[in-house]
Amino acid sequence: MIVPAPLVNACIIDNNKIYAYGFKKLLSIKDLSNQVTHFENGSDAIAHLKNPGNALNLPDIIFLDLSMPVMDGWEFMKEFEEIKSQLGKKISVYILSSSIDSHDIDRAKNIPSVSGYIFKPVDVQRLQEIFKNLQGIARQ
């Protein structure tokens, strides 16, 4: 009997509702995640992560846009670095941006919690590799 790999609980933080909808749809179609939470800014996402009522439903992975109103991706990462040890689980964070500015890429590389930098539009094969690695970690 083949046991299916556990699906990864994902989160996308992006103020572009159309992009977020398409991203969620892609994850569903490719059977990468059946649970994708969407936040339109970093502030709402931080509030969700800090809420003790969500402790059992935290994402395994976050896809984070850099340019958003209220709290942008950089501000989110600053807050995330401060609270990550209190969350009770390791959460991988990938920057998901249309910015090809080398300063943004270098800045992201210098944040310990950032697992990678993905350019929009997202490469499906790269996404599949990321989720495959996460599922492998979850089984250990």
Side-chain angles (χ1 to χ4, degrees):
M1 179 172 157
I2 298 173
V3 178
L7 290 178
V8 174
N9 183 347
C11 172
I12 181 168
I13 307 171
D14 193 321
N15 64 308
N16 184 327
K17 292 179 186 177
I18 295 170
Y19 185 84
Y21 174 81
F23 188 82
K24 288 165 59 173
K25 204 73 169 153
L26 175 66
L27 295 183
S28 175
I29 290 168
K30 294 294 181 182
D31 282 330
L32 298 174
S33 180
N34 63 348
Q35 183 169 355
V36 184
T37 309
H38 172 228
F39 299 100
E40 292 186 26
N41 63 67
S43 181
D44 291 345
I46 289 292
H48 176 81
L49 293 172
K50 285 182 168 180
N51 183 335
N54 297 324
L56 297 176
N57 198 27
L58 294 176
D60 300 301
I61 186 168
I62 294 173
F63 294 95
L64 176 67
D65 187 29
L66 294 176
S67 178
M68 296 175 288
V70 184
M71 178 188 278
D72 69 17
W74 300 121
E75 294 165 323
F76 171 86
M77 285 310 304
K78 186 174 189 269
E79 291 275 330
F80 183 80
E81 286 292 320
E82 293 174 13
I83 67 165
K84 68 179 182 181
S85 65
Q86 302 158 26
L87 297 177
K89 84 184 275 190
K90 183 182 181 324
I91 301 173
S92 299
V93 179
Y94 284 84
I95 303 292
L96 185 60
S97 179
S98 52
S99 172
I100 57 169
D101 185 334
S102 62
H103 296 296
D104 285 342
I105 297 165
D106 291 340
R107 187 174 174 187
K109 285 181 183 175
N110 288 317
I111 300 173
S113 296
V114 173
S115 300
Y117 194 103
I118 302 170
F119 297 108
K120 290 179 181 178
V122 67
D123 176 52
V124 176
Q125 189 171 353
R126 173 96 192 274
L127 266 184
Q128 289 173 319
E129 289 170 11
I130 290 167
F131 277 86
K132 183 177 177 186
N133 288 339
L134 276 176
Q135 289 170 338
I137 292 168
R139 279 193 225 133
Q140 293 178 355

